């Protein structure tokens, strides 16, 4: 009955989800650990570090706020575009479970800030489908990708996702491509110019090279790997379900889900292409994975099997905090 209850509209849930999320993420505040170490980061994240005076707890508070905002924004995005054909608050709950499901990511990271910025890129590219202000929205998509890139370097690859998204939407035209490219380059140009005027361009380029050449090495517990396996199994199950019902969907919904799926593939591909990437890409997967899994649990025909699967998902997502 848990799934049947949660996939309705419960405004109280929108209050409880942030509390639930922070409880699952409590380790980030009790025993804060820097997820970036001493390595120089991209300028926008470095600015955030300066504003918080290098306090790990302060950074983690910002991270917690971003996660709370994202948990609420995923519900708003579906209400705005209705690509899951039901008004539901379940995505917020699922987001909270997934967002806290990697115990090595208890804390703020540039990829989390990038994920927050890329959410607005997703919102803007969805708006292009409606055909009004396509140039302005294309510029916005590029701008948010550019801002994400000066927060987390490897976010720059999402400019490719934007171009593929334009093709899916039927707007792969020179003017939309150019508008997005201008938006993407603008924050990068301003940042590089600032470093140049302060005779620090070499330092900026060295930081970029260090991030590119960084070889990510980490070890994870068996329980953490099992949880990722469970999460991957649910993504596969939900993707198969979506493929089975895709012909029943409105054209707009199909296109939105394809854009989210390409976002997912772009993130996974980055892990294999760039040696400097690692577990932090999990933060970038939060939005597409939340919607893919939410779509399955909301729209699959109600049965005891669905309740059992949802219980397994919830149980594994909570248990990882104790055994991961």
């Amino acid at each position: 009955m848990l799934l049947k209850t949660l996939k309705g509209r419960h405004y109280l849930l929108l209050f409880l989800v942030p509390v639930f999320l922070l409880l699952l993420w409590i380790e980030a505040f009790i025993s804060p650990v820097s997820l970036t170490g001493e390595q120089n980061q991209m300028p926008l994240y470095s600015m955030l570090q300066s504003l918080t005076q290098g306090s790990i707890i302060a950074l983690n508070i910002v991270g917690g706020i971003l996660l709370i905002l994202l948990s609420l924004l995923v519900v708003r995005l579906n209400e705005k575009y209705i690509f899951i054909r039901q008004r539901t608050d379940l995505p917020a709950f699922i987001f909270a479970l997934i967002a806290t499901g990697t115990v090595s990511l208890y804390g703020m990271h540039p990829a989390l800030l990038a994920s927050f910025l890329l959410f607005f890129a997703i919102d803007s590219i969805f708006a292009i489908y409606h055909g009004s202000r396509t140039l302005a929205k294309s510029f916005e998509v590029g701008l948010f990708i550019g801002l994400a890139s000066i927060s987390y370097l490897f976010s720059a690859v999402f400019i490719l996702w934007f171009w593929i998204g334009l093709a899916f939407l039927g707007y792969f035209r020179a003017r939309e491509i150019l508008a997005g490219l201008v938006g993407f380059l603008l924050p990068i140009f301003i940042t590089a110019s600032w470093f140049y005027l302060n005779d620090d361009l070499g330092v900026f380029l060295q930081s970029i090279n260090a991030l590119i050449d960084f070889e990510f090495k980490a070890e994870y517990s068996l329980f953490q790997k099992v949880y990722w396996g469970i999460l991957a199994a649910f993504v596969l199950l939900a993707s198969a379900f979506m493929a089975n019902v895709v012909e029943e969907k409105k054209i707009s919904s199909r296109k939105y889900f394809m854009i989210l799926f390409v976002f997912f593939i772009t993130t996974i591909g980055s892990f294999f292409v760039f040696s400097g990437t690692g577990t932090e890409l999990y933060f970038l997967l939060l939005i597409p994975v939340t919607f893919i899994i939410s779509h399955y649990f909301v729209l699959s025909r109600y049965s005891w099997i669905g309740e059992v699967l949802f219980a397994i998902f919830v149980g594994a997502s909570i248990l990882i905090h104790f055994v991961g």
Side-chain angles (χ1 to χ4, degrees), residues 125 138 141-142 145 156-174 176-182 184-185 259 262 266:
I125 198 172
S138 295
V141 176
I145 296 173
V157 73
F158 285 97
I159 193 66
L160 300 176
W161 160 77
F162 167 59
W163 291 336
I164 295 171
L166 284 178
F168 277 121
L169 294 173
Y171 287 96
F172 191 71
R173 303 181 303 200
E176 278 81 15
I177 294 171
L178 183 60
L181 189 59
V182 170
F184 171 68
L185 293 175
I259 289 171
V262 173
T266 302

Side-chain angles (χ1 to χ4, degrees), residues 211-289:
L211 290 168
I212 292 175
D213 295 335
F214 178 74
E215 292 188 9
F216 188 88
K217 295 180 180 179
E219 294 184 3
Y220 307 101
S221 70
L222 174 62
F223 300 105
Q224 182 67 77
K225 293 176 182 178
V226 168
Y227 176 73
W228 287 336
I230 292 172
L231 200 58
F234 275 108
V235 170
L236 290 173
L237 175 64
S239 298
F241 172 77
M242 190 181 300
N244 191 48
V245 300
V246 68
E247 295 301 326
E248 303 172 11
K249 292 188 170 298
K250 296 189 300 183
I251 295 175
S252 59
S253 296
R254 296 181 206 171
K255 292 180 182 292
Y256 295 150
F257 272 114
M258 284 304 302
I259 289 171
L260 287 171
F261 186 71
V262 173
F263 190 102
F264 175 84
I265 294 299
T266 302
T267 307
I268 296 296
S270 299
F271 178 79
F272 295 101
V273 173
F274 303 109
S275 61
T277 60
T279 319
E280 76 280 355
L281 288 176
Y282 186 86
F283 282 132
L284 300 183
L285 290 171
L286 293 178
I287 297 168
V289 169

Side-chain angles (χ1 to χ4, degrees), residues 43-280:
L44 193 57
Y45 188 77
S46 295
M47 185 184 301
L48 179 60
Q49 288 177 312
S50 298
L51 290 173
T52 55
Q53 299 180 339
S55 168
I56 299 176
I57 292 181
L59 278 171
N60 289 355
I61 290 173
V62 174
I65 292 171
L66 292 182
L67 287 178
I68 290 172
L69 289 174
L70 279 171
S71 71
L72 301 177
L73 286 170
V74 293
V75 174
R76 172 190 170 274
L77 192 70
N78 184 57
E79 290 185 342
K80 187 175 181 181
Y81 297 104
I82 316 294
F83 46 92
I84 298 177
R85 291 192 320 250
Q86 181 173 321
R87 294 184 180 275
T88 174
D89 298 323
L90 185 64
F93 181 72
I94 288 178
F95 177 89
L97 290 173
I98 298 173
T100 59
T102 295
V103 296
S104 61
L105 292 178
Y106 285 155
M108 183 62 175
H109 190 279
L112 175 53
L113 179 57
S115 182
F116 182 74
L117 292 166
L118 289 171
F119 171 86
F120 295 100
I122 293 172
D123 190 346
S124 295
I125 198 172
F126 281 3
I128 291 174
Y129 176 76
H130 298 286
S132 61
R133 301 178 62 232
T134 59
L135 292 182
K137 288 301 178 181
S138 295
F139 177 83
E140 287 178 16
V141 176
L143 181 64
F144 284 120
I145 296 173
L147 289 172
S149 301
I150 59 172
S151 306
Y152 177 65
L153 176 63
F154 302 103
S155 301
V157 73
F158 285 97
I159 193 66
L160 300 176
W161 160 77
F162 167 59
W163 291 336
I164 295 171
L166 284 178
F168 277 121
L169 294 173
Y171 287 96
F172 191 71
R173 303 181 303 200
R175 59 182 187 175
E176 278 81 15
I177 294 171
L178 183 60
L181 189 59
V182 170
F184 171 68
L185 293 175
L186 182 60
I188 297 173
F189 174 76
I190 292 174
T191 300
S193 299
W194 187 88
F195 277 99
Y196 176 78
L197 292 174
N198 287 274
D199 294 324
D200 285 331
L201 185 59
V203 175
F204 177 49
L205 296 176
Q206 286 175 6
S207 297
I208 292 176
N209 287 331
L211 290 168
I212 292 175
D213 295 335
F214 178 74
E215 292 188 9
F216 188 88
K217 295 180 180 179
E219 294 184 3
Y220 307 101
S221 70
L222 174 62
F223 300 105
Q224 182 67 77
K225 293 176 182 178
V226 168
Y227 176 73
W228 287 336
I230 292 172
L231 200 58
F234 275 108
V235 170
L236 290 173
L237 175 64
S239 298
F241 172 77
M242 190 181 300
N244 191 48
V245 300
V246 68
E247 295 301 326
E248 303 172 11
K249 292 188 170 298
K250 296 189 300 183
I251 295 175
S252 59
S253 296
R254 296 181 206 171
K255 292 180 182 292
Y256 295 150
F257 272 114
M258 284 304 302
I259 289 171
L260 287 171
F261 186 71
V262 173
F263 190 102
F264 175 84
I265 294 299
T266 302
T267 307
I268 296 296
S270 299
F271 178 79
F272 295 101
V273 173
F274 303 109
S275 61
T277 60
T279 319
E280 76 280 355

